[in-house]
Amino acid sequence: DWKTGNAPLEITLENNAGAKATVTLTAALSEHKSGKHLRTVTAKAEVPPGQSVQRLTLSAGPPHLWSLEDPFLYSVKVTLDCASQQDVFAVPHVGFRNFRINEHGYFELNGKRIFPKCTHSNVYDPISILGTSRDMKYVTPDFPRMKDAGFNMFREIMYSALPEQLDRADELGYLIYNEHQAAWMLRDA
């Protein structure tokens, strides 16, 4: 929640032991770049056999909002302890932001009007020519160069961005307009 700094987590657990298990869940929030630890939430849970969902809420307090000029990110790490076993899941890029089109048809980021300066591309891959590149070395330099040239948004034409590209855009303060392969080619896209 970009206004409160609350980050609700839904954690799906799978217990294959055939009996209830007592687990300890720990969720930690830290600053992405510095690694500075901010908050930890811990809960014990009785997990029935099969799949179940546990809920925790992390709070950043008043959040440091992600923006084009200040792409501040957090990291979340969830740890599950059960008997002598431990499982860890990390989400390294978490940003608090609100992007919408307001009632006047203007783009807003965190309640302030922005002007998208967008470029687009068919991704070049040296092997398949078009399509999502399999090697980040072909796409990694693009976003910083486009941002330096004054663009703040990139449209992925006829392909989806790789997760690594989305992470890079988040780190740079860059917006991505993603679409599926035939979004503008079908009669009913």
Side-chain angles (χ1 to χ4, degrees), residues 9 25-31 37-42 56 58 74-79 89-91:
L9 307 175
L25 287 170
T26 304
L29 183 72
S30 56
E31 292 180 359
H37 175 75
L38 300 172
R39 303 260 193 293
T40 299
V41 175
T42 302
L56 294 173
L58 271 172
Y74 296 88
S75 296
V76 174
K77 183 168 91 173
V78 177
T79 306
F89 183 78
V91 182

Side-chain angles (χ1 to χ4, degrees), residues 121-146 154 156 159 162 164-165 168:
S121 171
N122 289 78
V123 164
Y124 170 76
D125 181 79
I127 295 173
S128 66
I129 306 302
L130 290 178
T132 302
S133 180
R134 288 171 301 282
D135 191 333
M136 282 300 291
K137 74 180 178 186
Y138 298 112
V139 293
T140 299
D142 290 350
F143 292 159
R145 288 178 184 155
M146 289 184 285
F154 181 71
E156 312 278 5
Y159 76 100
L162 295 169
E164 296 89 351
Q165 286 176 287
R168 187 74 177 122

Side-chain angles (χ1 to χ4, degrees), residues 14 16 30-31 49 54 59 63 65 79-80 82 84 89-90 97 114 117 140 145-146 152 158 161 163 174:
E14 187 168 340
N16 294 317
S30 56
E31 292 180 359
Q54 300 294 320
S59 177
L65 298 179
T79 306
L80 176 134
C82 180
S84 61
F89 183 78
R97 60 185 158 211
I114 66 163
K117 297 170 189 143
T140 299
R145 288 178 184 155
M146 289 184 285
N152 60 17
M158 293 184 59
Y174 207 68

Side-chain angles (χ1 to χ4, degrees), residues 58-75:
L58 271 172
S59 177
H64 187 144
L65 298 179
W66 181 96
S67 70
L68 299 170
E69 301 77 26
D70 181 16
F72 190 88
L73 295 169
Y74 296 88
S75 296

Side-chain angles (χ1 to χ4, degrees), residues 11-25 43-55 79-83:
I11 304 158
T12 302
L13 303 176
E14 187 168 340
N15 176 356
N16 294 317
K20 273 188 185 180
T22 302
V23 302
T24 302
L25 287 170
K44 286 202 179 280
E46 292 291 324
V47 181
Q51 283 193 353
S52 63
V53 175
Q54 300 294 320
R55 290 174 176 78
T79 306
L80 176 134
D81 288 297
C82 180

